[in-house]
């Protein structure tokens, strides 16, 4: 009979999760937000070469740098990881 713990682990391995990549933040006033329209520019607190943070839910799981995807000429982005935390506790 299979070990129930390993069976549960096997089932969870195929579950997809959403990873959010945070590239920066902004603190506009409500007035500034109300004036946003297409082609407006919202300055962020970071530069293009600054590290980004990866989150699952509200847990920081990794850090890295944005780069152009190596397998495409369409300008899509990837993240090169520089630090990875424990999946259960996050990155410290």
């Amino acid at each position: 009979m299979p070990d129930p713990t390993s069976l549960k682990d096997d089932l969870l391995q195929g579950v997809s999760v959403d990873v959010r990549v945070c590239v920066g933040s902004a603190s506009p006033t409500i007035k500034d937000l109300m004036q946003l329209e297409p082609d407006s520019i919202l300055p962020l607190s970071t530069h293009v070469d600054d590290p980004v943070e990866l989150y699952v839910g509200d847990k920081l799981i990794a850090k890295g740098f944005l780069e152009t995807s190596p397998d495409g000429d369409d300008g899509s982005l990837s993240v090169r990881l520089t630090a990875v935390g424990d999946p259960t506790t996050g990155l410290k």
Side-chain angles (χ1 to χ4, degrees), residues 69-89:
S69 293
D71 59 349
D73 294 327
D74 61 355
S76 59
L77 296 174
S78 299
V79 179
R80 181 168 304 276
L81 300 180
T82 56
V84 178
D86 181 295
T88 58
T89 61

Side-chain angles (χ1 to χ4, degrees), residues 32-72:
D32 292 339
L33 282 177
M34 299 298 291
Q35 294 174 345
L36 290 176
E37 57 187 44
D39 292 326
S40 293
I41 295 175
L42 181 64
L44 299 176
S45 61
T46 56
H47 295 90
V48 170
D49 294 329
D50 286 348
V52 296
E53 297 177 329
L54 286 75
Y55 290 88
V56 172
D58 62 352
K59 190 174 300 252
L60 175 63
I61 60 159
K63 291 184 180 183
F65 288 92
L66 292 176
E67 58 182 50
T68 305
S69 293
D71 59 349

